[in-house]
Amino acid sequence: MSELKTLSLSAFDRTKLNLKSLSTRKHDFFISSIVELNEYQGGKQFLKNNPVIHQIATDMIIARQKKSSIMLMIGAHVIRSGVQRYLIDLLERGYISCIATNGAGMIHDFELSMIGATTESVAYYIKDGQFGLWKETGLLNDIIHHAYQQNSMAFMGETIGRAIYESNFPFKDISLLNACYRLGIPITVHVGIGYDIIHEHPNCDGAATGALSYNDFLLFTKMIENLENGVVMNFGSAVMAPEVFLKALSMARNVSHAQGKFIHHITTLVCDIRDISFEHQSEPSKDQEQYYFRPLKTMLVRTIADGGNGYYIKGKHLETIPALWEAINEIETQKTI
């Protein structure tokens, strides 16, 4: 019997990395691209051609009246679409009770607040290995590490939101993290280790990152416990939103079931730019491409099979989110609910 060979393993030495200042980076998105509530007409136009948005708005208003959770799950591209003022207004009016995003969403929000710009060209900076290696963005790691040292049960979204709120960042008024902290509304950050540029940095603490993001997952799950007659929306997240929602809902239903309660009457919405032929509560077969689009089978079929309603709307975030805001305003004005 041959002897087991011992592998000689060593981790990458991050101390050799060369970090540069954000002031030298070429940015693709600027604060000037964030649209004003009363100046942008794209939402009204999109709403005219998508009446189903009125149903979502109606369900949000009813959920707000019943004090049920209204959950907004977003990919990072939502931050780069310029709709911050619409989302902050909905937060302030009680139409969103929790926001969930990924690590990239947190990073874009933080950079915009700090310097009024975000997003680098991957194709340009990956050539010489400079992609993601920017000193100021790495401050997020220091904030996360310090919070973990102070309290291992701290929440990542709340921690970063507080840091922005207490900072002198010149553009923090358009920060979703800042707005949620200011309003006392949960914003949860669901991180995958190695997914985000700050994980490249020498000051990244994997234990702190994992702990605070997991605490956010448990906070998100707690909000799901109040989802009966509520609404869950997914704008542009193909993996994080459906996977996090699936596990959190299972946990919440497990506990509710033991108490003789149910979380079945849910409205789910997925907004993306894919062409999808979606038949209500019908799961595509495995030989169809749509089967492998997680938001469809997870959020629009499987998790609402016992009494919920699922809707898919194709459109850009710069169209769909303002359209939803417009629909809520119309219904409020008409006072039909």
Side-chain angles (χ1 to χ4, degrees):
M1 191 172 179
S2 61
E3 293 185 7
L4 184 66
K5 292 184 178 180
T6 302
L7 297 178
S8 177
L9 303 177
S10 61
F12 181 84
D13 184 0
R14 295 178 296 172
T15 63
K16 297 179 180 179
L17 290 168
N18 177 31
L19 276 65
K20 295 184 179 180
S21 173
L22 276 175
S23 62
T24 67
R25 190 176 79 180
K26 297 179 180 179
H27 308 284
D28 291 338
F29 185 84
F30 299 89
I31 198 166
S32 58
S33 296
I34 295 177
V35 295
E36 299 293 335
L37 293 180
N38 298 317
E39 296 178 4
Y40 179 67
Q41 299 300 313
K44 290 182 179 179
Q45 186 60 42
F46 190 84
L47 181 60
K48 291 179 181 178
N49 301 318
N50 292 270
V52 70
I53 295 179
H54 276 107
Q55 183 59 55
I56 307 299
T58 299
D59 290 350
M60 289 175 69
I61 292 173
I62 292 173
R64 180 173 175 266
Q65 292 172 345
K66 293 185 175 183
K67 295 181 170 35
S68 298
S69 293
I70 306 171
M71 320 283 288
L72 174 68
M73 308 188 76
I74 59 174
H77 281 84
V78 171
I79 304 295
R80 292 155 47 183
S81 66
V83 297
Q84 282 88 333
R85 299 199 188 282
Y86 289 91
L87 295 178
I88 291 172
D89 185 69
L90 292 175
L91 285 165
E92 291 176 340
R93 292 159 60 189
Y95 284 114
I96 299 173
S97 51
C98 177
I99 292 180
T101 189
N102 53 21
M106 172 183 69
I107 291 168
H108 288 318
D109 188 90
F110 185 80
E111 288 184 345
L112 271 174
S113 304
M114 180 168 50
I115 65 169
T118 190
T119 311
E120 60 192 296
S121 170
V122 178
Y124 180 83
Y125 285 109
I126 195 61
K127 292 178 181 178
D128 59 0
Q130 197 58 51
F131 171 69
L133 295 167
W134 311 104
K135 293 179 183 178
E136 293 83 351
T137 309
L139 289 172
L140 283 165
N141 287 326
D142 292 335
I143 296 167
I144 292 167
H145 174 74
H146 178 73
Y148 177 66
Q149 286 188 316
Q150 297 296 311
N151 176 16
S152 63
M153 298 306 296
F155 300 109
M156 183 173 287
E158 181 187 33
T159 293
I160 304 304
R162 180 192 297 113
I164 297 173
Y165 177 81
E166 294 176 349
S167 74
N168 60 356
F169 291 173
F171 307 105
K172 63 183 181 182
D173 64 304
I174 50 82
S175 164
L176 297 183
L177 286 154
N178 171 65
C180 285
Y181 179 77
R182 171 172 58 86
L183 298 167
I185 295 173
I187 182 165
T188 57
V189 183
H190 304 272
V191 169
I193 298 297
Y195 282 15
D196 304 317
I197 61 172
I198 59 175
H199 302 162
E200 302 175 49
H201 292 219
N203 66 337
C204 180
D205 181 342
T209 300
L212 267 61
S213 188
Y214 187 70
N215 294 340
D216 275 19
F217 170 65
L218 297 180
L219 175 59
F220 179 85
T221 305
K222 182 67 176 179
M223 298 296 295
I224 293 289
E225 285 190 299
N226 190 43
L227 193 57
E228 177 69 4
N229 298 310
V231 180
V232 177
M233 299 172 285
N234 172 9
F235 286 83
S237 176
V239 178
M240 181 279 291
E243 292 304 318
V244 169
F245 176 57
L246 179 66
K247 281 73 172 184
L249 180 62
S250 183
M251 293 164 68
R253 279 179 171 170
N254 181 285
V255 172
S256 295
H257 181 74
Q259 298 173 345
K261 301 177 183 179
F262 301 96
I263 309 174
H264 290 157
H265 299 94
I266 309 168
T267 295
T268 61
L269 168 68
V270 173
C271 291
D272 213 300
I273 57 174
R274 288 174 177 249
D275 285 313
I276 290 180
S277 176
F278 172 58
E279 183 180 346
H280 180 56
Q281 294 185 344
S282 176
E283 182 171 318
S285 61
K286 291 184 179 180
D287 60 352
Q288 291 180 291
E289 180 184 354
Q290 293 179 177
Y291 175 85
Y292 300 95
F293 182 51
R294 289 178 176 86
L296 172 59
K297 66 182 180 183
T298 298
M299 302 193 74
L300 302 185
V301 181
R302 292 177 175 176
T303 56
I304 60 167
D306 294 326
N309 293 296
Y311 301 92
Y312 180 80
I313 297 175
K314 179 186 176 183
K316 298 178 180 179
H317 304 316
L318 189 54
E319 300 169 330
T320 54
I321 290 175
L324 184 62
W325 181 83
E326 295 283 359
I328 290 174
N329 291 346
E330 286 186 10
I331 297 170
E332 277 191 341
T333 301
Q334 296 167 358
K335 297 182 179 179
T336 56
I337 298 177

